[in-house]
């Protein structure tokens, strides 16, 4: 084989190697830039109904408005509880009428927390029927005034700061079982929390504003959806 043939062969091998390298690089780049899976992939959007919980001595319109697809709910620390004689904190909440014990369920909505909302829950999974001595909720997301609005799991793990006065999407996916299940929380479709639930129970979702602090608390919701799998 003469020198020219060797050079041609070498160029061909180098070209093939370069093409392979470029192909691999392109594949890696494509993989790196591929969008993350949507948390609702494999889930089916399902209808739901709800009832209202609000200060027992007020009309719903005194603590709720609906306009342009947005539910606004507010409450004052001095308001009455949702039932006369009840000792819980004041609230204005949607109580979802889709009780469940097992299976995959997901609450999904855009949330807006106005400045000043402090020590207030805006979404929770309530364990309506649960064994004695076990907690009343599987999860609560609470708003606090620190750092431009901080969202915490209960009063502990920080999930978001700078939450005031901006819309962000929240999804809570619950894989409930006859034993201990799993709760996943997504903000703007990014997973921010994975925790165990509190064990067997019959539970349901609630969203609104449940004021554990002082003054006025408010939360707004739009694009509220319910998913099952």
């Amino acid at each position: 084989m003469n020198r020219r043939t060797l050079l041609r062969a070498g160029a061909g091998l180098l070209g093939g190697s370069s093409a392979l390298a470029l192909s691999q690089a392109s594949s890696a780049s494509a993989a790196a830039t591929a969008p993350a899976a949507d948390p609702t992939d494999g889930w089916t959007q399902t209808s739901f109904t709800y009832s209202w919980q609000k200060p027992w001595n007020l009309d719903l319109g005194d603590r709720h408005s609906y306009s342009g697809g947005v539910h606004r709910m507010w409450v004052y620390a001095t308001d009455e509880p949702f039932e006369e004689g009840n000792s819980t904190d004041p609230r204005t909440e949607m109580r979802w009428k889709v009780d469940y014990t097992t299976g995959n369920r997901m609450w999904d909505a855009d949330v807006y927390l106005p400045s000043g909302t402090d020590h207030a829950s805006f979404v929770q999974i309530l364990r309506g029927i649960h064994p004695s001595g076990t907690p009343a909720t599987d999860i609560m997301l609470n708003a606090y005034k620190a750092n431009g609005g901080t969202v915490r799991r209960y009063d502990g793990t920080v999930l978001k700061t700078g939450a005031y006065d901006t819309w962000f999407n929240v999804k809570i996916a619950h894989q409930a079982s006859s034993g201990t299940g799993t709760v996943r929380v997504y903000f703007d479709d990014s997973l921010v929390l994975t925790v165990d639930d509190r064990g067997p129970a019959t539970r349901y979702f609630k969203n609104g504003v449940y004021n554990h602090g002082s003054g006025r608390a408010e939360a707004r919701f739009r694009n509220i959806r319910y998913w099952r799998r």
Side-chain angles (χ1 to χ4, degrees):
M1 183 181 292
N2 61 32
R3 182 172 180 273
R4 183 174 294 178
T5 304
L6 283 169
L7 287 173
R8 282 201 204 99
L13 288 171
L14 288 171
S17 176
S18 298
L20 179 60
L22 286 170
S23 175
Q24 291 173 334
S26 297
S27 298
S29 176
T33 59
D38 189 307
T40 62
D41 285 353
W43 294 70
T44 300
Q45 188 175 344
T46 307
S47 62
F48 66 97
T49 59
Y50 56 88
S51 59
W52 286 100
Q53 295 183 350
K54 45 79 179 175
W56 67 265
N57 60 335
L58 298 176
D59 292 333
L60 179 61
D62 293 327
R63 293 293 182 267
H64 166 266
S65 70
Y66 180 75
S67 178
V70 175
H71 288 276
R72 290 180 61 227
M73 305 174 211
W74 63 94
V75 74
Y76 293 87
T78 54
D79 282 342
E80 292 290 320
F82 75 104
E83 292 177 332
E84 189 172 8
N86 191 288
S87 61
T88 58
D89 291 326
R91 70 188 76 190
T92 304
E93 293 182 305
M94 293 177 172
R95 189 276 199 216
W96 287 36
K97 306 290 282 186
V98 281
D99 294 21
Y100 65 98
T101 55
T102 60
N104 291 278
R105 316 295 175 108
M106 185 190 297
W107 180 94
D108 175 8
D110 298 331
V111 176
Y112 186 102
L113 301 171
S115 297
T117 296
D118 188 31
H119 287 77
S121 303
F122 61 91
V123 61
Q124 59 182 299
I125 300 176
L126 195 138
R127 295 158 55 83
I129 303 173
H130 56 95
S132 177
T134 65
T137 61
D138 284 311
I139 191 168
M140 298 175 80
L141 298 187
N142 296 346
Y144 297 88
K145 65 182 180 181
N147 299 313
T150 297
V151 176
R152 295 176 178 266
R153 171 181 176 252
Y154 295 102
D155 60 356
T157 306
V158 173
L159 304 179
K160 183 178 179 65
T161 57
Y164 278 160
D165 304 325
T166 185
W167 286 101
F168 61 102
N169 181 261
V170 180
K171 292 180 174 69
I172 300 180
H174 188 192
Q175 182 180 7
S177 72
S178 57
T180 300
T182 304
V183 178
R184 293 180 173 85
V185 179
Y186 300 84
F187 287 171
D188 293 324
D189 292 336
S190 293
L191 182 65
V192 296
L193 179 72
T194 302
V195 291
D196 290 342
D197 65 20
R198 304 298 187 81
T202 299
R203 64 266 286 185
Y204 50 86
F205 293 105
K206 297 179 75 178
N207 67 275
V209 61
Y210 181 22
N211 193 356
H212 310 294
S214 60
R216 184 182 189 278
E218 180 181 333
R220 304 174 192 174
F221 303 87
R222 68 184 184 190
N223 300 323
I224 305 172
R225 298 183 295 178
Y226 176 52
W227 302 84
R228 295 185 64 175
R229 185 175 65 184

